Amino acid sequence: MNLRKLAEQLGLSQTTVSRALNGYPEVSEKTRERVRKAALDFNYKPNTRARSLATGKAMAIGHVIPVSTQQEMVNPIFGDFVTGAGEVYSENGYDMLLSLVSDSDEENFYRDLKIKGTVDGIVMHSPSMDDWRIDLLNELRLPYVVHGRASSVTAPYSWVDVANATAFEAMTGHLTSLGHRRIALINGIESLDFAHRRRRGFLNALKDAGLEADPALMASSDMTESLGFDEASRMLALDNPPTAFAVSSLITALGVRRAIEQAGLTVGREVSVATFDDDLSYLRNGTLEAPVFSAVRSSVREAGRRVGSILLSRISDPLAPPTSEMIPFHLVAGTTTGPAPT
């Protein structure tokens, strides 16, 4: 079934059918629903190449992942994010292009995307504090939205983020309020903006409680389960070990819990653990009513949806001013935190 035959079945012009399928506002909702139903009934699939020629758009969104951060593509956090973004793309007739590129070729890859017209817009992942990609994308005039922020960049850009510093400060404050004085931080890579902000929130909470940070109780690297296990095992073996851990990812927190249990200690009684858990669809922190880990919850899937929606708006109106949006979070108390042991 092609467009011409679908139009004949409906008794409408090909132009009207095309506009109905592509969401043009001049087509009535009644006609739009009639066309959509017929397209499903007749198993009509639009010719993407022809549609691109007609609209002057690639009808695709790019997600470029440098090799140095490729672990991002196989963790539940990235999976949830692209699922949320992909739902928005699909609803609007866009495809998703995931590209893994070497760090040394990344700039040329972005330039090639622009020259070839392969994508209509870019989602920028894992921004560093002073991320060069923002200036490049502004120079190329390629619509983009940053998932996160780059604190040291002064140029205007569109972003969606969670209040990492505030959230981590609240999470660490939960531990100090329980009487913990030896609190460890296991963080992501701190050249990345989100991890830098989380460290700042951690330090703010310690300062508010009149505590000094101990460098021996602070670690940062890729947020893997093994990071949590290795660093927690090291810290628990110290002469003056921590009684609580503030952790940057639920994945890493699972490793921390394994280390605590392997040391013969009880989580939530002898050692507490609080984590930033991102409200993951495929790695649940218990239930909404009964969380396992005390955690900061923020939906990364919703962040993906918002990034996708803002990017499509920027593609439609490239001259519009940049848009920023903060995804809400809330702190939940689970079974992994309790009063500091005496």
Side-chain angles (χ1 to χ4, degrees), residues 243-323:
T243 63
F245 288 85
V247 189
S248 217
S249 165
L250 178 58
I251 300 165
T252 307
L254 294 173
V256 173
R257 182 173 67 181
R258 181 162 66 96
I260 294 169
E261 292 171 347
Q262 187 163 303
L265 302 169
T266 304
V267 178
R269 182 182 300 173
E270 293 166 291
V271 183
S272 290
V273 182
T275 183
F276 202 112
D277 85 324
D278 284 309
D279 190 15
L280 303 175
S281 300
Y282 305 106
L283 187 61
R284 290 290 186 187
N285 178 22
T287 66
L288 290 175
E289 298 78 18
V292 175
F293 283 90
S294 293
V296 169
R297 280 186 168 164
S298 177
S299 174
V300 73
R301 191 163 185 159
E302 179 59 23
R305 293 190 190 100
R306 294 307 308 142
V307 166
S309 296
I310 292 172
L311 181 53
L312 294 188
S313 296
R314 295 203 62 74
I315 291 169
S316 298
D317 187 3
L319 299 179
T323 300

Side-chain angles (χ1 to χ4, degrees), residues 96-254:
M96 185 190 308
L97 176 68
L98 289 175
S99 302
L100 183 65
V101 302
S102 69
D103 295 59
S104 60
D105 289 339
E106 193 175 0
E107 179 177 347
N108 288 333
F109 190 84
Y110 280 114
R111 293 188 184 279
D112 285 345
L113 287 177
K114 173 64 175 181
I115 292 168
K116 295 175 182 176
T118 310
V119 297
D120 299 310
I122 291 286
V123 174
M124 195 183 117
H125 295 276
S126 301
S128 61
M129 298 285 293
D130 185 11
D131 206 299
W132 59 268
R133 293 174 293 177
I134 291 174
D135 284 341
L136 175 64
L137 292 170
N138 285 338
E139 173 198 329
L140 296 176
R141 297 185 181 180
L142 187 60
Y144 70 97
V145 177
V146 180
H147 180 209
R149 283 173 284 174
S151 299
S152 300
V153 173
T154 57
Y157 62 94
S158 293
W159 55 264
V160 173
D161 200 6
V162 64
N164 283 290
T166 305
F168 227 76
E169 185 172 347
M171 190 179 84
T172 308
H174 168 66
L175 295 172
T176 62
S177 72
L178 291 169
H180 293 280
R181 294 296 177 263
R182 294 281 290 169
I183 303 173
L185 169 66
I186 302 183
N187 200 7
I189 298 171
E190 291 177 351
S191 61
L192 299 179
D193 195 86
F194 81 90
H196 173 83
R197 290 175 183 271
R198 291 180 187 181
R199 177 190 176 97
R200 191 174 73 205
F202 173 79
L203 295 175
N204 287 344
L206 293 189
K207 184 178 179 181
D208 288 346
L211 301 174
E212 292 279 343
D214 183 347
L217 299 185
M218 301 175 75
S220 67
S221 189
D222 289 330
M223 296 187 298
T224 61
E225 193 272 351
S226 60
L227 170 70
F229 176 78
D230 292 343
E231 290 296 339
S233 296
R234 176 185 67 80
M235 294 174 186
L236 289 169
L238 295 172
D239 291 338
N240 189 10
T243 63
F245 288 85
V247 189
S248 217
S249 165
L250 178 58
I251 300 165
T252 307
L254 294 173

